[in-house]
Amino acid sequence: MSRASSFAIAAILALVGCGKKEAAPEGGAPAAEAAPAAAAEAPLLRLYAMECGRIDVLDLGVFDLGGAYAGQTKSLIDTCYLVRHPAGDLLWDAGLPDSINAAPDGVTEGAFRITAPKTLVGQLADIGLQPADVEFFSASHSHFDHVGNANLFAAATFIVQKAERAFMFRDEARANAQEFASYSALENAPAREIEGDHDVFGDGRVKIVSMPGHTPGHSALLVTLANAGPVLLTGDLYHFTEAREKRTVPTWNTDPEETRRSMEKFEALAAKIGARVVIQHEPADYDALPKAPEYLD
Ligand SMILES: [Zn+2]
């Protein structure tokens, strides 16, 4: 291998953040051809689903402004996702706090009884990772069940909608001390502030899709996998299958009309690309996925 091509490969490895990841193909290709060759081989992209808590809803009525679920109860799951890309690992949502794992009967807060039979840190360890190894963190939105372990990822680049950042660091959010404490370190994390849809790694395979309304900067995540195809993670645009079918709007959404527009956008996108939709709180959708350390690719 010539010195020049060694430099070229080293540059590519640095560019894609390799070392602990899949290596770019070696073999002394001329520098000018090395980068396209690496791209053409579509290096690894994996999606790992993790269980980040369970939520028993004691009053499902709060999930519809129109009262569709009055008097009902439901068990939901709380999920987190790791996307492994040659340019880095992205954690999508940080679940309920792992500390709840120490309370087997969980914690009851208002209409919710929350438990955490598994920890996020434990499931990352099963993949061979520690929180400090994760290069990018983003959340569908900043509610307590999506940022519970966010402080563990304060060394990662925090990819956040400008509107969500303003929402999560507003005075009213700070006043909710216990909840705020779970993600307060993100305020000083290296940040990539975005507005609207965003191509995370620049190759079109991992996209944050703006879906405001549940919160001002609420987003979905689209991961286009080589074998499994496009997978669309809903965030909390919908909380369970029936909510998607009826397009119900929870009582605590910041903007119901914006939510309905996001539902239109989501359904048009899902239909256009033939995406597998994963409703992040729907136990049946989680059950149908391979569980970390297994993955979709
Ligand atoms: Zn949620």
Side-chain angles (χ1 to χ4, degrees), residues 141 145-146 236 239 281:
H141 63 298
D145 55 320
H146 297 261
D236 281 6
H239 290 81
H281 281 301

Side-chain angles (χ1 to χ4, degrees), residues 201-269:
F201 297 108
D203 61 4
R205 295 194 290 165
V206 183
K207 285 184 179 169
I208 293 171
V209 189
S210 174
M211 297 279 167
H214 187 58
T215 62
H218 178 273
S219 300
L221 187 71
L222 172 62
V223 183
T224 304
L225 297 158
N227 296 312
V231 178
L232 195 45
L233 306 174
T234 59
D236 281 6
L237 181 65
Y238 309 111
H239 290 81
F240 44 92
T241 303
E242 189 179 352
R244 184 182 177 207
E245 291 164 358
K246 293 182 172 170
R247 297 203 191 180
T248 44
V249 177
T251 54
W252 67 96
N253 280 24
T254 54
D255 191 330
E257 278 312 308
E258 198 173 45
T259 302
R260 293 186 184 100
R261 285 196 294 276
S262 288
M263 289 173 175
E264 294 288 340
K265 176 182 175 179
F266 183 96
E267 296 303 337
L269 174 63

Side-chain angles (χ1 to χ4, degrees), residues 14-254:
L15 195 67
V16 300
C18 278
K20 68 186 175 104
K21 309 274 163 44
E22 306 282 290
E26 293 197 56
E33 293 170 21
E41 292 202 4
L44 143 156
L45 185 66
R46 293 176 177 172
L47 178 65
Y48 294 84
M50 296 175 285
E51 175 185 326
C52 289
R54 291 173 180 264
I55 304 175
D56 294 323
V57 183
L58 311 175
D59 172 14
L60 199 65
V62 298
F63 281 84
D64 181 36
L65 285 167
Y69 312 117
Q72 297 182 33
T73 61
K74 199 173 193 69
S75 290
L76 301 177
I77 193 159
D78 197 348
T79 50
C80 306
Y81 300 85
L82 182 79
V83 179
R84 300 210 80 178
H85 184 283
D89 293 320
L90 167 70
L91 181 72
W92 176 252
D93 282 341
L96 291 162
D98 278 358
S99 58
I100 292 173
N101 179 254
D105 295 331
V107 179
T108 300
E109 289 210 7
F112 306 109
R113 189 177 77 91
I114 56 181
T115 52
K118 294 184 176 184
T119 64
L120 172 57
V121 168
Q123 290 168 94
L124 286 174
D126 289 343
I127 304 170
L129 290 172
Q130 296 184 342
D133 298 327
V134 175
E135 288 92 347
F136 300 95
F137 171 65
S138 192
S140 58
H141 63 298
S142 54
H143 283 158
F144 72 99
D145 55 320
H146 297 261
V147 292
N149 298 298
N151 277 353
L152 298 176
F153 303 92
T157 296
F158 179 36
I159 306 177
V160 59
Q161 297 282 357
K162 188 178 178 183
E164 194 68 16
R165 189 181 180 91
F167 180 71
M168 66 197 288
F169 294 114
R170 75 196 193 286
D171 289 345
E172 194 182 333
R174 289 173 197 280
N176 192 348
Q178 193 181 355
E179 196 171 320
F180 186 74
S182 68
Y183 66 80
S184 56
L186 294 181
E187 194 163 18
N188 297 312
R192 186 191 296 174
E193 214 171 78
I194 62 174
E195 287 183 83
D197 299 346
H198 176 70
D199 183 353
V200 174
F201 297 108
D203 61 4
R205 295 194 290 165
V206 183
K207 285 184 179 169
I208 293 171
V209 189
S210 174
M211 297 279 167
H214 187 58
T215 62
H218 178 273
S219 300
L221 187 71
L222 172 62
V223 183
T224 304
L225 297 158
N227 296 312
V231 178
L232 195 45
L233 306 174
T234 59
D236 281 6
L237 181 65
Y238 309 111
H239 290 81
F240 44 92
T241 303
E242 189 179 352
R244 184 182 177 207
E245 291 164 358
K246 293 182 172 170
R247 297 203 191 180
T248 44
V249 177
T251 54
W252 67 96
N253 280 24
T254 54

